[in-house]
Amino acid sequence: MVGKDCVAIACDLRLGLQALTVSNNFPKIFQYGDNVFLGLTGLATDLSTVSDLFRYKVNMYRLREERNIAPKTFANLVSSSLYEKRFGPYFVSPVVAGLDPKTSKPFICGFDSIGCIDFAADFIVSGTATDQLYGMCESLWEPNLAPEDLFETISQALMSAVDRDALSGWGAHVYIIEKDKVTKRLLKGRQD
Amino acid sequence: MADRYSFSLTTFSPSGKLVQIEYALNAVNQGVTALGIKATNGIVLATEKKSSSPLADPSSLSKISLITPNIGMVYSGMGPDYRVLVDKARKVSHTGYKRIYNEYPPTRILVQDVARVMQEATQSGGVRPYGVSLLIAGWDEGILPEEDEEKEAEEGAGGDEKKKPSGKTGGILKGGPMLYQVDPSGSYFPWKATAIGKSATTAKTFLEKRYTEGLELEDAVHIALLTLKETIEGEMNGETIEIGIVGPPADHLLGVEGVEGARGPRFRKLTPQEIEDYLTNL
Amino acid sequence: MAMFSQNPLMNGPNYSFGDAPKIGAPEGAREHRFDPYTDNGGSTLAIAGADFAIMAGDTRLTSGYSINSRHHPKVFKIGGTTADQHDATIVLSVVGFAADGEALKERLDSICKMYRYRHGKPMNVKACAQRLSTILYQKRFFPYYAYAILGGLDEEGKGAVYSYDPVGSYEREQCRAGGAAASLIMPFLDNQVNFKNQYVPGSGEGHALQERERRPLSRNEVEILVKDAFDGAVERHIEVGDGLQMMVITSNGVEEILLPLKKD
C-alpha cells in the first residue's frame, strides 16, 4: 500500500492445508535490501523455494553490480524468473513493495504466478482473502497517507479482511517503509 | 574427432607467457588507431576509416557500433573478429540483462560480459583469441539519492572518494560517463583517455599532454580530432573519420514524440556533416 | 454462519456467475438438460440504525459479461395498501437470479397485502421476516435463487435487518451485504458499523486491548458508509455499477434515493 513518501506491506501468519491449520506463525514477507520487500502467498513449499531463489539472485546481483537492487529492477527480476517457469509455474502470487533508492518514490506491484506484472499506484492484494482485501482497501485507502496513518489503514484493512476469510488470520506482520527507516509491527489477531 | 579431442591452442610457454595472446596483441597493434576521451558530460570515440582501395564506398563502412542505447564501442585489430564481438555484446546485453531486469546493463557489467567472451577464447579448445582490442563507452545512471550525491561523495563508503572530490565522471554510485578498454586476454581497464592500435603510443603521449580534468564533451571531440590528425595517414574529412559520442539523451532519435518519461539514446554516431563542421573549426 | 458465506472457493474461476466447464457427452449422444438458473450479478446492502434502517442495492443487471440493464431495481417496498406502495413500512432487497427475486418479491408483497386487508393493519417486520423464511423453505428442493434481505422498524421503533440464504435460513443483524460484491463489502461493514478490530488507544497490549465501544450510527453516517461501500465494490467488481438505489425506512415512512455509480 502506497503512502506519502512511504509504503507499507503486510501479511497474515496462518499456514494451512485447506481447512487444517498447520502453523500460526508463518510470515510471508521477505526483505531483499534496505527497502525492497517481497510478499508471497500460495503454496508454502514454493514460498520457501521462491524466497530462497530470490535471496540467491539478489545476493548475486549485489556482488556483481556492487549496489543494492532497486524495487523496480527486482520486480522485473521476479517477473522474468516466474515466466521462466511458464509451463510449470511456482504456485505463488508475489507482491513487491519498496522505495526507489534514487528518487525515494514509493513502488508497489503484484504478479500472477507466471510473472505478469500489475503496477499499481494505490495498493496490491494477494491470497485467499483477495476479495475482502479489495473491498477493504478500496474503501479505506486514500492518497498521501502519512506513515502512521498508512500503518493504521493497512492494518485495519488486513485484519478486517482476514476475519472474513476462514483461510487467513492468526495475527499479522506489518512493515512501514520510509526513506531511512523500516518499522515492523506484530499485530495480534483473532486466534480462530 | 574434433569434439572429442579438442586441445586448447593457447598454452603456457615455459616462461609463463601465453604467446597466442601476445600474437593477438600484435594483430591489434597493426590495426588502425582508435581513441577514446572521457569528458565530464560525455565521451568521444574516434577512429579512421581506412579503405584499401579508392574504389571502396566508405559510407557503407562502419567501425563504431551501438551496443545499447547508452553504450557504444570501437575497435582496433581484426574487423571480422570485431563484428562477432559486437553481435555477442548486443546479444548478451539482452539475454543476460534486459530480458531479466527490463533495463540495459550498466557499462561495467557489459564490459565484464564482453571480457568474459574474450577470455573464454583464451582457454577453450579449438579456438583462437580474438584479434581485437575494444574501447567501450557508456553512460550509467547512478544509484545514490539525488540530494545525497554531494554528501556521499565526501563521506564515501571507504573514504577513497575523499581523495578525488573532483571526480565528477563515472562511478557506480554517482553514474555518468564510463570508458573502458578490453584486450584479447579478457582484461579490461577504465580510462580517462586512451588509444589503441598502430599509433597508440604516439596518440597516448599526445593525449597525456592535451588531457585536462573537467573537460567538456565539445573540447573532447576537438582533442580527439587533433590526436587523430597526429597519427592519420590519409586525408581527414567526414567520410574518412568516424566519431561516436556519449552525450545528453538524443530525444530526436527516439522516433516518437510525447511519450512521457521516454529518453533518447545517449550514444550516437556523428554524421559526416557534423564531423566536417568540427574539422572546419579545428 | 457458513450458509451466508459467498466467498468464491479459490479452486475455481473467481466469478460469481456459472462458469463451470461443460461435461462432454459421449460420442453421438445428445445431452438434454434443463438449466433454470442464471446469476444476474449485482449487490445489496442493509444497515440498521437506532431509529431507521437503510436498504441499498445497485441497479445493474448482468448475465455473464453482458449488461442487460443499467436500471433494474433490487430493492422494493413491500406490503403497502396499493400498488404504488406509498404507505409501505417494510423493504425487501433481492440479489441473485433476477426472475426468482422478482417472483419472491411479488409473492411476499401479496401476502403482506392480504394480511393488511384481513387484519386492518400492516404486518410488522418480525412477522414478515418469519413469513419470508417460510416462503423460501417451502421451495427447499427447487429454491428461489435469491439472497434476500428484509428491512424495517421493529415494535420498539428500532431499525431491523433480517438476512436470508436462498432456502430460508435467517437471522436478525445490524448489517449485511449480499450478492456478487458481498465478500468485498462485508469486512468493511464489520470494521465501520460494528467497529471490529478497533480498540481504545493505550488501553493495553495485544489481546488485553479494550474494544472500541459500539455506538448507533446516525442516518447521515450510514448513508456515507453505503456510498463508500458501493464505490469500492464498483471499482473492483464488474457486475456492480450503474446506479445506487437506497431506501431509508424511518417512522415517517420509506424514502427512496437514487444516486449514480460508475457505468464502466
Side-chain angles (χ1 to χ4, degrees):
Chain A
M1 199 177 259
V2 170
K4 184 168 172 51
D5 305 321
C6 57
V7 281
I9 183 166
C11 66
D12 71 332
L13 296 176
R14 183 180 181 269
L15 166 71
L17 281 165
Q18 306 275 28
L20 173 71
T21 300
V22 177
S23 163
N24 48 27
N25 189 15
F26 189 81
K28 297 162 190 70
I29 293 174
F30 306 89
Q31 189 171 3
Y32 293 100
D34 292 343
N35 43 26
V36 183
F37 287 80
L38 176 70
L40 290 168
T41 60
L43 184 67
T45 176
D46 283 352
L47 246 63
S48 52
T49 309
V50 167
S51 62
D52 288 352
L53 178 74
F54 287 125
R55 174 85 56 224
Y56 161 73
K57 288 195 175 190
V58 167
N59 283 344
M60 286 306 286
Y61 181 96
R62 197 158 28 222
L63 289 168
R64 198 161 45 227
E65 311 224 355
E66 297 170 25
R67 57 174 173 164
N68 283 319
I69 198 162
K72 190 181 280 182
T73 313
F74 180 64
N76 284 301
L77 174 66
V78 171
S79 170
S80 53
S81 304
L82 290 177
Y83 196 77
E84 221 167 61
K85 297 268 183 288
R86 171 64 178 80
F87 296 109
Y90 295 116
F91 296 124
V92 292
S93 3
V95 170
V96 166
L99 293 175
D100 187 287
K102 202 168 163 64
T103 60
S104 295
K105 285 226 174 71
F107 175 88
I108 56 161
C109 69
F111 310 81
D112 65 8
S113 61
I114 53 169
C116 175
I117 310 187
D118 171 8
F119 295 107
D122 41 17
F123 47 81
I124 286 286
V125 305
S126 147
T128 54
T130 295
D131 283 15
Q132 289 86 341
L133 282 165
Y134 268 132
M136 287 310 296
C137 295
E138 199 63 66
S139 42
L140 293 194
W141 184 85
E142 49 189 271
N144 298 117
L145 288 164
E148 274 308 306
D149 298 334
L150 184 66
F151 164 72
E152 195 60 34
T153 308
I154 196 171
S155 304
Q156 289 290 336
L158 184 75
M159 297 309 271
S160 297
V162 299
D163 283 354
R164 279 282 169 183
D165 177 22
L167 303 181
S168 309
W170 293 90
H173 283 183
V174 183
Y175 294 78
I176 307 292
I177 305 148
E178 294 166 74
K179 189 158 169 286
D180 309 302
K181 186 170 76 171
V182 177
T183 316
K184 179 182 178 183
R185 290 196 176 96
L186 314 180
L187 303 184
K188 298 261 186 192
R190 289 173 66 104
Q191 305 290 307
D192 59 4
Chain B
M1 273 299 271
D3 54 319
R4 269 204 283 174
Y5 300 100
S6 55
F7 297 105
S8 176
L9 300 176
T10 322
T11 47
F12 278 106
S13 73
S15 60
K17 289 181 190 168
L18 291 167
V19 282
Q20 287 296 324
I21 292 176
E22 302 206 340
Y23 299 159
L25 274 169
N26 290 341
V28 170
N29 288 329
Q30 286 167 38
V32 181
T33 317
L35 63 93
I37 305 170
K38 187 162 79 169
T40 51
N41 58 340
I43 303 175
V44 57
L45 294 180
T47 189
E48 181 192 355
K49 279 205 289 194
K50 228 167 59 171
S51 46
S52 48
S53 155
L55 296 175
D57 178 7
S59 62
S60 63
L61 196 81
S62 174
K63 293 174 66 183
I64 295 181
S65 310
L66 189 136
I67 307 300
T68 74
N70 290 346
I71 302 175
M73 68 187 192
V74 68
Y75 78 102
S76 198
M78 300 176 62
D81 285 17
Y82 170 68
R83 282 201 301 280
V84 169
L85 283 172
V86 167
D87 280 356
K88 293 201 172 183
R90 286 173 179 165
K91 186 174 176 184
V92 79
S93 68
H94 285 86
T95 57
Y97 212 94
K98 177 101 179 11
R99 283 188 185 186
I100 299 174
Y101 302 112
N102 196 24
E103 56 193 60
Y104 286 102
T107 315
R108 184 172 57 86
I109 299 296
L110 182 86
V111 165
Q112 276 176 4
D113 287 343
V114 176
R116 176 164 55 240
V117 169
M118 294 174 79
Q119 194 280 335
E120 276 166 7
T122 69
Q123 217 181 5
S124 308
V127 296
R128 61 166 175 78
Y130 289 91
V132 290
S133 279
L134 305 171
L135 292 180
I136 301 182
W139 184 285
D140 295 343
E141 298 303 324
I143 52 159
L144 273 190
E146 277 131 10
E147 65 262 40
D148 283 7
E149 271 176 25
E150 307 246 321
K151 209 181 356 168
E152 287 284 325
E154 280 160 36
E155 290 165 13
D160 49 351
E161 294 273 336
K162 233 174 202 169
K163 293 168 199 159
K164 38 174 183 173
S166 68
K168 268 175 113 179
T169 56
I172 288 278
L173 292 177
K174 284 173 290 173
M178 308 283 272
L179 173 64
Y180 288 91
Q181 174 188 346
V182 192
D183 278 352
S185 60
S187 44
Y188 60 93
F189 324 91
W191 289 102
K192 290 175 180 171
T194 192
I196 50 174
K198 201 183 291 174
S199 320
T201 326
T202 327
K204 278 204 271 193
T205 320
F206 188 85
L207 284 171
E208 276 168 26
K209 276 188 280 186
R210 282 293 188 139
Y211 184 84
T212 50
E213 298 284 342
L215 210 58
E216 295 275 318
L217 181 59
E218 294 294 304
D219 310 329
V221 177
H222 193 75
I223 295 172
L225 289 170
L226 286 177
T227 317
L228 226 48
K229 200 175 174 185
E230 293 290 303
T231 63
I232 203 162
E233 286 156 8
E235 189 197 350
M236 256 178 103
N237 61 44
E239 294 279 280
T240 59
I241 299 290
E242 215 175 332
I243 293 181
I245 57 160
V246 173
D251 289 341
H252 65 282
L253 293 176
L254 212 48
V256 287
E257 268 179 52
V259 182
E260 206 181 321
R263 291 275 207 79
R266 280 185 182 269
F267 187 87
R268 67 186 183 92
K269 288 170 64 177
L270 296 186
T271 60
Q273 187 52 53
E274 283 175 298
I275 298 173
E276 294 280 6
D277 292 347
Y278 278 112
L279 284 170
T280 47
N281 294 328
L282 211 60
Chain C
M1 289 291 280
M3 68 191 95
F4 286 121
S5 166
Q6 290 170 37
N7 304 342
L9 293 169
M10 293 310 283
N11 58 7
N14 212 353
Y15 307 114
S16 60
F17 45 83
D19 199 29
K22 302 232 168 17
I23 302 138
E27 194 65 38
R30 185 171 301 187
E31 193 182 9
H32 291 273
R33 77 175 176 188
F34 175 50
D35 192 1
Y37 292 128
T38 312
D39 186 343
N40 295 114
S43 233
T44 55
L45 165 55
I47 300 174
D51 57 353
F52 67 93
I54 295 189
M55 307 282 293
D58 70 319
T59 64
R60 177 174 290 184
L61 185 124
T62 65
S63 59
Y65 291 123
S66 313
I67 295 172
N68 292 343
S69 173
R70 294 194 190 276
H71 188 81
H72 187 93
K74 288 179 187 61
V75 192
F76 309 99
K77 296 177 195 170
I78 291 291
T81 320
T82 57
D84 67 5
Q85 307 280 14
H86 69 278
D87 55 352
T89 57
I90 294 174
V91 174
L92 172 73
S93 75
V94 280
V95 65
F97 182 26
D100 277 0
E102 192 83 3
L104 181 63
K105 179 255 302 186
E106 289 299 332
R107 202 155 145 209
L108 187 66
D109 185 40
S110 44
I111 286 167
C112 289
K113 278 188 167 55
M114 288 306 295
Y115 181 99
R116 188 188 272 265
Y117 302 149
R118 282 191 183 144
H119 294 77
K121 62 170 189 181
M123 208 176 195
N124 70 46
V125 68
K126 191 179 171 186
C128 186
Q130 176 56 48
R131 188 67 184 90
L132 177 55
S133 171
T134 315
I135 295 169
L136 289 165
Y137 196 76
Q138 274 171 354
K139 279 173 66 61
R140 172 65 179 79
F141 295 107
F142 184 22
Y144 288 116
Y145 176 29
Y147 291 88
I149 306 175
L150 197 68
L153 300 177
D154 66 9
E155 292 102 322
E156 297 169 44
K158 289 181 184 152
V161 161
Y162 293 86
S163 62
Y164 296 79
D165 77 353
V167 286
S169 174
Y170 80 113
E171 183 182 22
R172 182 172 171 181
E173 290 183 292
Q174 204 60 40
C175 57
R176 170 58 63 182
S183 57
L184 283 78
I185 298 174
M186 211 52 225
F188 176 65
L189 262 32
D190 291 342
N191 188 230
Q192 296 294 314
V193 177
N194 293 323
F195 296 154
K196 288 284 165 64
N197 286 305
Q198 296 199 42
Y199 297 94
V200 178
S203 60
E205 275 205 358
H207 294 301
L209 275 165
Q210 201 185 320
E211 283 183 21
R212 180 180 169 192
E213 203 176 331
R214 280 177 54 189
R215 69 175 167 82
L217 300 172
S218 72
R219 175 181 160 175
N220 190 40
E221 282 174 312
V222 172
E223 278 189 30
I224 289 170
L225 281 183
V226 171
K227 286 177 212 162
D228 285 353
F230 271 93
D231 282 338
V234 166
E235 205 66 45
R236 295 291 176 175
H237 204 114
I238 55 170
E239 292 173 7
V240 183
D242 295 327
L244 173 60
Q245 187 196 15
M246 267 200 280
M247 298 271 202
V248 187
I249 309 138
T250 62
S251 50
N252 298 324
V254 183
E255 187 187 331
E256 184 170 1
I257 303 167
L258 255 175
L259 295 165
L261 287 176
K262 281 173 74 169
K263 292 186 190 295
D264 56 3

